[in-house]
Amino acid sequence: MKYAFFPGCTMANRLQFAEKSVRMIVPEFGVELVDLAFTCCPEPNAVRSLSEDTWVTFAARNIALAEAENLDILTACAGCHESLTLAKHELDTKPERKEKANEILKGMGLEYKGTSSIIHVHQLLFDEIGVETISAKVVRPLPIKVVTHSGCHLLRPQKILQVDDAEVPVKLDMLCEALGMDPLEYMDKVMCCGAGVRKTDSDTSYAVLKEKMTSMVMVEPDAIVVFCPTCFITFESGQRITNRLFKTEFKLPVFYYTELLAIAMGLPDTDALLADHRVKIELPEFSDTKKEDSESIPT
Amino acid sequence: MTTRDPKDSSSESTKVEVVSTAPELRIGVFPCKCGKNIGAVVDIDSLAEYAKTLPGVVFVQVNRYTCADPGQREIEDAIKEHRLNRVIVASCSPTMHEDTFRKAVKAAGLNPYLCIMANIREHVSWVHRDDPDAATDKAKNLVAMAVARAATLEAQKEQDVPVTQAALVVGAGVAGMQAALDLADAGFKVYLVEREATIGGIMALLDKVFPQNDCSICILGPKMVDVAKHPNINLITMAEVETIAGYVGNFDVRVKQRARYVDFEKCTSCGDCVEVCPVDVPSRTDQSLTWQKAIQIPFPQAVPSSYFIDPKSCLGMDLIRCGKCIDRCEQEAIVSSDTDHYIDFEVGVIILATGFKPASPEKIPRLGWGRYPNVITSLEFERLINAAGPTEGNLVRPSDLTKPTSVAIAQCVGSRNIDTRSGCSNFCCAESVKCALLIKEHYPDTEVTIYYQDLRMHGKYFEDQYLKAREEGVKFIRGRVGEIQQYPKTKNLRVSVEDTTHNKLQLLEYDMVILSMGAEGQSGNFPLPISCTADSFYIESHPKLRPVDTSSAGVFICGGAESPKDIRDSVIQASAAAGRASIILQKGRYPIEALSARIMQDKCNRCGTCVKRCPYGAISEDGTGKFTVMGALCQACGTCAGDCPPDAIYMPNFTSEQIEAQIEIALAERPEEKIVAFACAFCSYRGSDLAGISRMQYPANARVVRSMCSGRYSTKFAQKAFELGAGAVLYSGCHLQTDCHFQTGNHWMVKREPRIRSWMKRNNIDDERFRVEWVSAGEGKKWQTIMSEMSEVTERHKKSQPKLKKPIAKPKVKSKPKAKPKSKTATKLKKTKSKSNSTKKNATTKKKTTGRK
Amino acid sequence: MVDNSHNQELEDLREAARPCFQCGICASSCPVFRVAPEMNPRMSVDSIITDGQVPAEGNEWLCAYCLMCEERCPMGVSLTEILMGIRNISSKEGKAPPDFVESAEALLARGCLSPTSNRSVKKRVDLGLPDLPQPDPEHVKLIFEVTGAYEVLEANRVAVKEEAE
């Protein structure tokens, strides 16, 4: 299997270790990644708010790049996945949209045809590779209690994205179980992390995060597992700010799923992945992983 | 009396008795002045003179009021004296007086179907008052069109079929029971078929029923016993209808009854067997809140009062595998050799009371049912609060069996949601208020909050219940519950709802939440073609005027199968259905539509399109590839004929030949000025009549061709009109969606529009010259507007005429309608011949067009 | 009340909002409404339907775009599409929030929203991540030009400047 890899701006520039973990695990399942000259997906919230046309055209260009190489796109960020998938839906269901976009793409020597599909690493692992295959590769089970957060933009709209059930998502939990983890049921599991309003009203954003994390800590998990770099940053950096704003005491490590997968599979150099985590990982299960209590914040 | 066999229509045409055996065509025309209504505008004398010149016309008589007694008598006399075999009354709309004149000709011994009308009042004198010359010309033309049509009118036999004096009632919930009891009390034999092991339906599971909150089984139980004991009711439980053949009055029913394994005559319901049965399965009656055994009785009051064995959970009725119950039963009531079997019987009418099923809460995952034990459905609540239920009437939380101190009730669950069912359930508001009152009655200290979107306490006494609930301290908050989340430790529930009165979010904790469930339809699996709504409820014949009839004659609906409803409405409807059904049973004979379609086997190409078009399931294939029409089911709309590729379907008195003859006559002179307007009998034609009755004036260039339904208009009629140079063509029908009297005729007609338009494009005919319009019987004004607008089109077309070369090769206009052939066989041969000619013509046109594609 | 009825875009939004029967499921599902009562998706839709205008409070910018309301709407109203439409209209009027404008500027300048710093480049090198191929800046400019993003950006730049003054 070969995919055009779409790490997205946030992962490539702020969460490099998560990107690294994806690039580490895929060859183990026979997947090859190709890098193309993608722009930002573009981010569904900000860019689309300004101009729907601009948003859909950027997305059309990105997809057209992959189509030119006859490749499907593998996304790693929920936001990118949503943006590209919704834009593709627009382009595929509204011929006038597609025509308009193609007029612009022609100037770049590109054409949107609608032949490439877009899948997220979540889907690659659960739907394409499967829990059993993953389970079989685990050499170092991680018996920790986790709460999972699939992310709004992987779940909704369910009819178009079809990643998991929008109200009762279970697939990420199953992926965690495959690594020996104990995923806990918690309230507000499908609630937003708050990232969406950070740019317009950061206080509100952290108030949302506080609600979400209050529900999470109720079941006393060891860590949060996510599948989106934006959610990752919100949970990880956001909990410190939330603690400051609302006098809360959140201190939950956050993982991008493939980091845990890489560790559980016993791949080399996984300590480099965890080095940049900002909430210390004080779990015995990770004791032989080199810890760097780095306060350095990638910005 | 011989009745034709409606199952075999192929022999019909030969069986039809032609009352008039006169060898030649002898048409009588009766122009009517209608006082001044027609006479003041149309020159009736000149019309009469003109009529005399028309082929086949042997007698013309003008009258002042033809519909009055003397006028009718003159027609009768003329028929006898001049040996008339066709009668045309040129007066008002056939909607008005066709029936009157048909009776008159019948009195004179002529078949009533040989009398037709030319509408020179609503279509002429009333709408062209200011142009008497044009009006007279149009009247002449309309009479000529009628004469042309009359040439091939056929006598039709008015028939009826005998009715078997028995009824099938499907479903023995409260509606089915009521219908069965009513019919049985009226003296008719009733077969009552129930799927479950007991009768009683959903009502038997309820604790109290609104609005008086009386005990459900206390009022239903005696009725169930009545059903069981009634000598006229043959109760067949654990059974489903497998097949139904036949038609109104004569349905052959086959029912499949599942093995009960317990002889209900011997069973005393002592319950000894239950004590020894080792198998536990979730209880159906108690909504899986508790367990039951493989040998079981749904509830103590069940009818028949007998246990049965669920073979899926039974270990085996032999001593090797288990057989404990057999060993224990002193009555020796257990029949291990019992098998599924068929029961066949005949009935004259059918009542469908198959009910609804409670909506499934698992379809709404945001409310947590199935994941959170303390979220229960209203039906689960009924079992919990019921003294005969699993907790003996103690309301407890399923998670820890403690008494809830706060309960929220969420309404509209499974209703008013496009993903489940968009309609209102009709009962969940009253159900919620009842639940709240029951809780308050048992546990006055328990807090109860009802979250509603629109509280619809519409029924008699309902508002009193609402008031009582408020007095008891039940809280009512407007806002629909968005989600329910469970607190991980306490298993309490957090309800999220926006109080839309105050625009405030409420995130409140409750011990228990009751989902007030709506209903889901389960109709449509019945072995008869009764149309259903998208949400699987049966569709009534008319939502207001025929609410318990269906499109299939002799089949009625009632209760939850028709739409979600409460007990009172179900009972009302059941009695109504029984009443309607007993009319048919009591008469003993049922009249059959005389104008049923017939398939001309020599022309049929066996494509089966007609089967798909028929809304009544009247056309079937006999296994050898031959298609036939079941006369008793056919309603004569002609939609099958409208789409029949080889034009092999014969619609008596609305034949293609007759319609084309009318088109030819209408366009014989100055065709480019004419509008050929097709109108269906039930909406558009009545709309055109209304324009006349309202004296709405419009140009006199329209020629209306009437048919039963717009489904009858083939594409070739418009093509024919344009080939003859028509200025414009109108296809008008009942409004789309639900207005069509024949259900779907208009839908099929409008599907032909693109084909007509592409044909027009290929033949350089301006798009505006063809219109499809929906005109209801109340839209006279719309008819006037359409006529005026289309006249502008013909004006434009006429002006552009000289620029064009000859439009399209004109087939010769037949100036004379064919004379009446000598014998029936001749009629048939001739018909077939001329038909095949026209088909050939058509085929060539088609070939050309496909070639160009 | 401002009469916006002439506005075709608004009319389209109104059409999309028409099935709404104001049940409040959207609001009860909204994570923002939970902490910020001034953001009520039901009221935004109501304002479109009944007043035919963009909600005066500008609450559309508080939407977190989590699509919860849309997923749950029993009438199938696409609330996020409507809120996005409202935002598009507001943006044309120069009312976009400064951070969104900044994002668009970043996209225009680099084809990417997150800033690439020396530090982040170094991180990639340290982790042995590949250099990502860069998009043709002309492509980015072209899309901005043709899709009207320049005008929207300009309208908002002016607004931001005025605000600053």
Side-chain angles (χ1 to χ4, degrees):
Chain A
M1 280 185 285
K2 194 167 159 186
Y3 291 98
F5 186 46
F6 200 105
C9 315
T10 309
M11 184 175 262
N13 297 319
R14 298 181 64 184
L15 223 60
Q16 298 89 343
F17 52 86
E19 180 182 338
K20 176 71 184 172
S21 72
V22 175
R23 290 189 192 267
M24 277 166 85
I25 59 110
V26 287
E28 303 294 318
F29 299 101
V31 173
E32 193 188 328
L33 302 182
V34 178
D35 294 303
L36 298 176
F38 292 125
T39 61
C40 173
C41 52
E43 196 268 324
N45 202 357
V47 178
R48 196 178 175 193
S49 296
L50 300 181
S51 158
E52 185 95 8
D53 277 349
T54 312
W55 165 74
V56 86
T57 314
F58 267 104
R61 178 190 164 277
N62 283 331
I63 302 170
L65 282 179
E67 285 180 355
E69 305 291 324
N70 263 329
L71 292 173
D72 288 340
I73 295 176
L74 179 69
T75 56
C77 164
C80 300
H81 186 70
E82 166 118 322
S83 198
L84 292 173
T85 312
L86 288 192
K88 180 178 167 59
H89 181 76
E90 286 277 300
L91 292 161
D92 291 347
T93 53
K94 295 178 187 156
E96 70 282 1
R97 265 257 145 113
K98 184 170 151 183
E99 213 171 285
K100 210 166 154 190
N102 272 333
E103 260 169 45
I104 305 170
L105 294 186
K106 207 189 254 174
M108 312 170 190
L110 289 168
E111 189 194 350
Y112 175 86
K113 295 191 283 284
T115 50
S116 286
S117 55
I118 298 149
I119 73 162
H120 187 271
V121 180
H122 181 293
Q123 290 165 299
L124 174 73
L125 292 174
F126 192 92
D127 301 333
E128 304 289 326
I129 293 167
V131 171
E132 277 174 26
T133 312
I134 291 169
S135 229
K137 296 249 183 195
V138 172
V139 296
R140 192 183 152 192
L142 304 169
I144 57 169
K145 289 183 289 173
V146 295
V147 283
T148 63
H149 172 85
S150 307
C152 303
H153 295 168
L154 277 190
L155 296 179
R156 296 178 289 267
Q158 187 185 333
K159 277 181 192 148
I160 299 173
L161 301 181
Q162 294 182 350
V163 174
D164 201 347
D165 190 292
E167 295 289 351
V168 194
V170 292
K171 292 181 181 174
L172 180 51
D173 283 4
M174 289 164 80
L175 286 169
C176 285
E177 275 172 357
L179 310 187
M181 294 189 267
D182 179 14
L184 306 172
E185 277 305 315
Y186 67 104
M187 293 173 88
D188 298 315
K189 191 174 181 183
V190 294
M191 185 185 178
C192 171
C193 63
V197 275
R198 196 160 61 234
K199 282 189 171 152
T200 43
D201 187 339
S202 63
D203 283 6
T204 300
S205 160
Y206 295 117
V208 172
L209 180 65
K210 181 197 136 210
E211 294 287 313
K212 174 90 187 181
M213 290 196 68
T214 303
S215 292
M216 283 177 158
V217 297
M218 230 185 256
V219 295
E220 297 168 1
D222 298 323
I224 303 171
V225 181
V226 299
F227 238 140
C228 168
T230 306
C231 300
F232 186 105
I233 293 167
T234 309
F235 282 119
E236 201 189 46
S237 316
Q239 58 183 294
R240 290 158 170 257
I241 303 167
T242 307
N243 286 344
R244 203 174 62 227
L245 286 174
F246 301 102
K247 308 278 176 270
T248 47
E249 287 175 351
F250 299 129
K251 203 180 177 193
L252 270 179
V254 186
F255 295 100
Y256 186 87
Y257 177 77
T258 49
E259 296 182 275
L260 295 166
L261 178 56
I263 294 167
M265 283 166 69
L267 299 183
D269 304 327
T270 47
D271 48 352
L273 300 177
L274 304 182
D276 278 342
H277 279 235
R278 290 196 277 167
V279 176
K280 271 200 233 167
I281 300 152
E282 292 166 338
L283 303 167
E285 288 76 15
F286 295 82
S287 55
D288 60 332
T289 304
K290 193 179 137 200
K291 278 174 283 176
E292 265 185 355
D293 186 12
S294 162
E295 284 294 304
S296 61
I297 294 168
T299 42
Chain B
M1 180 171 174
T2 54
T3 53
R4 65 174 166 172
D5 179 2
K7 284 178 212 169
D8 181 13
S9 72
S10 58
S11 58
E12 258 170 50
S13 48
T14 50
K15 272 190 186 173
V16 167
E17 183 196 344
V18 179
V19 177
S20 157
T21 48
E24 50 165 345
L25 199 56
R26 297 185 65 82
I27 304 176
V29 179
F30 297 86
C32 174
K33 288 187 177 169
C34 196
K36 282 187 174 172
N37 279 306
I38 299 172
V41 180
V42 175
D43 181 347
I44 290 289
D45 294 332
S46 144
L47 174 65
E49 286 309 311
Y50 171 75
K52 282 178 192 162
T53 67
L54 293 169
V57 175
V58 296
F59 181 76
V60 178
Q61 183 168 39
V62 173
N63 212 306
R64 224 174 111 72
Y65 287 107
T66 316
C67 61
D69 272 355
Q72 289 191 45
R73 219 170 307 122
E74 276 171 20
I75 294 178
E76 290 175 41
D77 293 345
I79 290 171
K80 289 173 191 157
E81 195 177 322
H82 299 276
R83 291 179 293 118
L84 301 180
N85 53 22
R86 300 290 186 278
V87 169
I88 293 163
V89 183
S91 59
C92 52
S93 166
T95 312
M96 183 85 190
H97 273 317
E98 193 169 61
D99 212 36
T100 314
F101 294 122
R102 282 187 167 175
K103 277 182 186 142
V105 302
K106 194 177 175 187
L110 188 64
N111 185 284
Y113 288 89
L114 297 175
C115 167
I116 57 172
M117 296 182 71
N119 184 354
I120 61 168
R121 190 179 73 175
E122 282 84 346
H123 281 180
V124 181
S125 64
W126 280 351
V127 289
H128 312 311
R129 274 193 302 207
D130 305 328
D131 195 348
D133 291 342
T136 304
D137 279 352
K138 180 173 174 182
K140 286 177 180 171
N141 202 197
L142 294 187
V143 170
M145 284 165 69
V147 168
R149 184 180 163 214
T152 52
L153 279 179
E154 233 189 297
Q156 303 296 332
K157 190 152 187 177
E158 291 174 304
Q159 294 175 94
D160 54 18
V161 291
V163 173
T164 306
Q165 300 283 297
L168 163 67
V169 178
V170 189
V174 68
M177 284 164 54
Q178 183 68 41
L181 283 169
D182 283 359
L183 286 171
D185 283 347
F188 301 110
K189 172 91 192 154
V190 179
Y191 295 91
L192 179 57
V193 176
E194 167 59 46
R195 186 169 53 190
E196 301 296 326
T198 179
I199 61 173
I202 293 176
M203 184 177 171
L205 306 178
L206 305 180
D207 180 40
K208 300 280 164 48
V209 286
F210 62 77
Q212 287 87 355
N213 292 358
D214 31 4
C215 160
S216 186
I217 198 71
C218 309
I219 58 172
L220 187 69
K223 229 182 170 72
M224 291 164 66
V225 175
D226 287 349
V227 169
K229 288 191 174 162
H230 205 296
N232 282 346
I233 295 178
N234 184 349
L235 176 62
I236 309 169
T237 52
M238 296 182 73
E240 285 178 72
V241 177
E242 185 95 349
T243 55
I244 290 188
Y247 46 89
V248 55
N250 304 277
F251 292 108
D252 297 321
V253 184
R254 165 165 278 200
V255 165
K256 186 181 183 183
Q257 187 171 37
R258 300 193 302 279
R260 189 177 189 101
Y261 302 107
V262 177
D263 182 342
F264 67 85
E265 305 271 351
K266 286 186 185 165
C267 176
T268 60
S269 320
C270 66
D272 285 354
C273 50
V274 168
E275 284 170 20
V276 294
C277 180
V279 186
D280 286 311
V281 287
S283 158
R284 261 168 78 80
T285 301
D286 285 332
Q287 307 298 304
S288 300
L289 289 166
T290 180
W291 303 92
Q292 65 188 19
K293 297 294 182 180
I295 187 160
Q296 55 188 270
I297 189 164
F299 44 87
Q301 301 87 343
V303 167
S305 179
S306 159
Y307 280 77
F308 70 98
I309 291 173
D310 169 16
K312 279 192 203 117
S313 39
C314 176
L315 295 178
M317 280 161 264
D318 54 71
L319 292 172
I320 297 167
R321 285 179 292 177
C322 176
K324 289 196 170 70
C325 53
I326 300 176
D327 206 29
R328 184 66 178 267
C329 183
E330 285 175 8
Q331 298 293 320
E332 297 183 345
I334 293 160
V335 190
S336 59
S337 60
D338 202 359
T339 51
D340 296 358
H341 57 278
Y342 293 104
I343 303 168
D344 294 333
F345 51 87
E346 278 178 32
V347 296
V349 292
I350 297 172
I351 294 179
L352 297 173
T354 45
F356 59 73
K357 57 181 176 196
S360 349
E362 64 266 33
K363 286 184 187 159
I364 308 128
R366 64 190 164 81
L367 300 180
W369 184 90
R371 282 179 290 139
Y372 309 147
N374 297 328
V375 176
I376 61 170
T377 65
S378 37
L379 205 49
E380 287 169 337
F381 169 81
E382 295 284 350
R383 298 313 298 168
L384 284 177
I385 200 86
N386 192 320
T391 57
E392 294 174 340
N394 290 301
L395 182 63
V396 292
R397 287 158 36 108
S399 69
D400 53 11
L401 305 183
T402 58
K403 183 177 87 68
T405 56
S406 59
V407 178
I409 302 177
Q411 285 191 190
C412 297
V413 181
S415 308
R416 307 184 74 191
N417 184 332
I418 54 164
D419 288 329
T420 53
R421 186 173 169 271
S422 54
C424 168
S425 80
N426 238 312
F427 55 70
C428 110
C429 285
E431 161 83 15
S432 299
V433 171
K434 180 196 78 183
C435 291
L437 280 169
L438 285 181
I439 298 171
K440 281 289 185 189
E441 190 183 298
H442 288 68
Y443 312 100
D445 296 336
T446 297
E447 251 185 66
V448 185
T449 310
I450 292 181
Y451 292 103
Y452 67 95
Q453 184 179 343
D454 300 291
L455 202 66
R456 294 173 170 174
M457 299 297 280
H458 58 279
K460 194 176 183 181
Y461 314 121
F462 286 14
E463 196 67 21
D464 303 339
Q465 292 292 299
Y466 176 36
L467 176 63
K468 190 170 172 207
R470 276 180 290 150
E471 283 169 356
E472 298 283 342
V474 175
K475 270 194 242 167
F476 287 86
I477 293 173
R478 194 186 74 185
R480 202 150 150 189
V481 175
E483 66 168 27
I484 295 172
Q485 298 274 338
Q486 175 181 273
Y487 287 96
K489 293 209 170 74
T490 59
K491 303 268 193 283
N492 283 352
L493 302 160
R494 191 193 70 202
V495 171
S496 310
V497 64
E498 186 204 354
D499 175 344
T500 58
T501 308
H502 303 100
N503 308 337
K504 265 188 195 146
L505 181 72
Q506 293 211 351
L507 278 181
L508 297 175
E509 192 172 337
Y510 291 94
D511 288 347
M512 184 184 235
V513 180
I514 301 170
L515 306 181
S516 196
M517 302 305 300
E520 271 173 38
Q522 53 178 354
S523 306
N525 296 323
F526 199 70
L528 264 185
I530 313 288
S531 26
C532 287
T533 56
D535 51 352
S536 300
F537 291 94
Y538 287 122
I539 295 178
E540 63 281 18
S541 220
H542 188 282
K544 293 166 198 71
L545 303 178
R546 298 174 72 196
V548 299
D549 293 30
T550 66
S551 54
S552 285
V555 182
F556 303 90
I557 45 175
C558 64
E562 184 263 339
S563 69
K565 55 175 63 71
D566 63 18
I567 295 160
R568 181 187 152 95
D569 284 354
S570 295
V571 171
I572 291 172
Q573 214 179 19
S575 285
R580 296 283 297 158
S582 65
I583 293 172
I584 295 177
L585 293 177
Q586 193 262 330
K587 275 190 174 168
R589 301 201 72 83
Y590 190 83
I592 290 181
E593 174 55 64
L595 299 175
S596 308
R598 294 171 220 157
I599 293 169
M600 295 183 270
Q601 300 300 341
D602 51 335
K603 289 174 78 181
C604 174
N605 67 3
R606 314 282 195 254
C607 68
T609 308
C610 50
V611 178
K612 291 179 208 130
R613 295 297 178 270
C614 181
Y616 305 101
I619 308 178
S620 56
E621 193 253 345
D622 66 355
T624 67
K626 187 175 151 192
F627 292 90
T628 49
V629 180
M630 197 182 278
L633 293 177
C634 174
Q635 306 285 318
C637 63
T639 307
C640 53
D643 272 335
C644 177
D647 199 11
I649 299 178
Y650 185 74
M651 295 307 305
N653 290 1
F654 291 95
T655 63
S656 297
E657 191 183 11
Q658 286 164 357
I659 292 171
E660 286 176 11
Q662 291 177 78
I663 298 171
E664 284 166 10
I665 301 294
L667 298 174
E669 283 172 29
R670 301 192 307 282
E672 68 284 353
E673 293 174 9
K674 302 287 185 342
I675 305 164
V676 180
F678 293 85
C680 67
F682 287 89
C683 287
S684 305
Y685 196 90
R686 283 163 197 256
S688 72
D689 276 352
L690 184 63
I693 293 162
S694 316
R695 309 296 197 274
M696 292 165 170
Q697 304 299 303
Y698 56 80
N701 55 344
R703 301 291 179 267
V704 175
V705 178
R706 177 169 167 261
S707 74
M708 293 285 270
C709 174
S710 59
R712 175 72 187 92
Y713 319 154
S714 311
T715 51
K716 69 167 186 170
F717 296 154
Q719 291 170 359
K720 168 111 189 173
F722 284 125
E723 280 169 353
L724 294 176
V729 176
L730 169 71
Y731 275 18
S732 64
C734 307
H735 281 269
L736 274 179
Q737 310 312 332
T738 55
D739 274 13
C740 180
H741 181 84
F742 301 97
Q743 300 185 37
T744 50
N746 52 359
H747 286 262
W748 292 115
M749 182 270 273
V750 75
K751 286 203 168 96
R752 296 171 200 146
E753 184 182 356
R755 273 183 304 186
I756 294 173
R757 295 216 179 274
S758 61
W759 176 87
M760 288 167 65
K761 201 172 175 187
R762 287 195 300 275
N763 288 291
N764 298 319
I765 298 169
D766 280 347
D767 219 35
E768 65 169 6
R769 288 170 61 196
F770 178 67
R771 273 175 84 165
V772 171
E773 287 288 349
W774 314 116
V775 181
S776 77
E779 291 178 325
K781 181 78 195 160
K782 186 170 181 184
W783 182 264
Q784 180 197 30
T785 309
I786 294 166
M787 288 299 116
S788 305
E789 286 173 6
M790 291 189 76
S791 295
E792 287 165 22
V793 171
T794 54
E795 277 300 308
R796 274 199 291 279
H797 167 63
K798 197 178 148 192
K799 276 181 199 153
S800 69
Q801 266 301 72
K803 286 178 216 159
L804 287 169
K805 284 174 198 170
K806 267 190 184 170
I808 303 158
K810 263 192 197 175
K812 248 190 195 167
V813 177
K814 277 178 262 171
S815 55
K816 280 184 194 172
K818 276 177 287 315
K820 173 75 185 167
K822 279 174 189 164
S823 71
K824 271 181 302 169
T825 344
T827 321
K828 216 183 164 195
L829 280 176
K830 191 118 189 191
K831 201 185 300 160
T832 326
K833 206 177 163 196
S834 75
K835 287 256 170 154
S836 59
N837 277 343
S838 69
T839 318
K840 223 179 259 170
K841 214 186 293 159
N842 236 15
T844 359
T845 331
K846 251 180 215 158
K847 221 178 262 168
K848 248 185 241 162
T849 59
T850 36
R852 251 176 251 179
K853 258 182 214 168
Chain C
M1 196 190 289
V2 187
D3 181 16
N4 277 332
S5 57
H6 60 279
N7 191 328
Q8 185 54 42
E9 287 166 45
L10 231 134
E11 214 33 58
D12 290 347
L13 291 181
R14 205 172 183 176
E15 224 33 68
R18 204 78 78 180
C20 170
F21 54 17
Q22 298 282 306
C23 67
I25 287 179
C26 50
S28 65
S29 305
C30 177
V32 180
F33 182 57
R34 185 158 150 184
V35 297
E38 64 273 24
M39 165 64 203
N40 182 332
R42 179 180 64 83
M43 299 293 276
S44 298
V45 172
D46 181 59
S47 155
I48 290 281
I49 301 173
T50 55
D51 301 340
Q53 62 177 352
V54 170
E57 307 86 349
N59 292 346
E60 68 271 19
W61 298 107
L62 276 179
C63 166
Y65 193 64
C66 75
L67 294 103
M68 194 75 119
C69 49
E70 177 159 336
E71 188 70 36
R72 288 180 176 170
C73 176
M75 292 309 291
V77 174
S78 186
L79 279 98
T80 40
E81 300 273 318
I82 290 172
L83 285 163
M84 219 30 112
I86 297 176
R87 287 180 176 192
N88 274 208
I89 294 170
S90 293
S91 295
K92 276 190 194 156
E93 293 168 0
K95 293 179 190 161
D99 274 22
F100 279 22
V101 180
E102 207 176 276
S103 294
E105 299 276 17
L107 180 63
L108 175 59
R110 296 181 296 272
C112 168
L113 292 203
S114 288
T116 321
S117 61
N118 290 340
R119 209 189 150 78
S120 68
V121 171
K122 184 175 176 296
K123 269 273 168 284
R124 293 189 69 83
V125 174
D126 288 352
L127 285 166
L129 289 169
D131 275 342
L132 294 174
Q134 291 306 304
D136 185 340
E138 290 308 315
H139 287 190
V140 175
K141 272 187 206 148
L142 181 69
I143 296 176
F144 263 70
E145 221 170 76
V146 187
T147 59
Y150 272 133
E151 283 90 335
V152 177
L153 205 50
E154 197 46 48
N156 286 285
R157 276 173 184 154
V158 173
V160 170
K161 211 183 260 174
E162 278 170 6
E163 184 84 359
E165 282 160 11

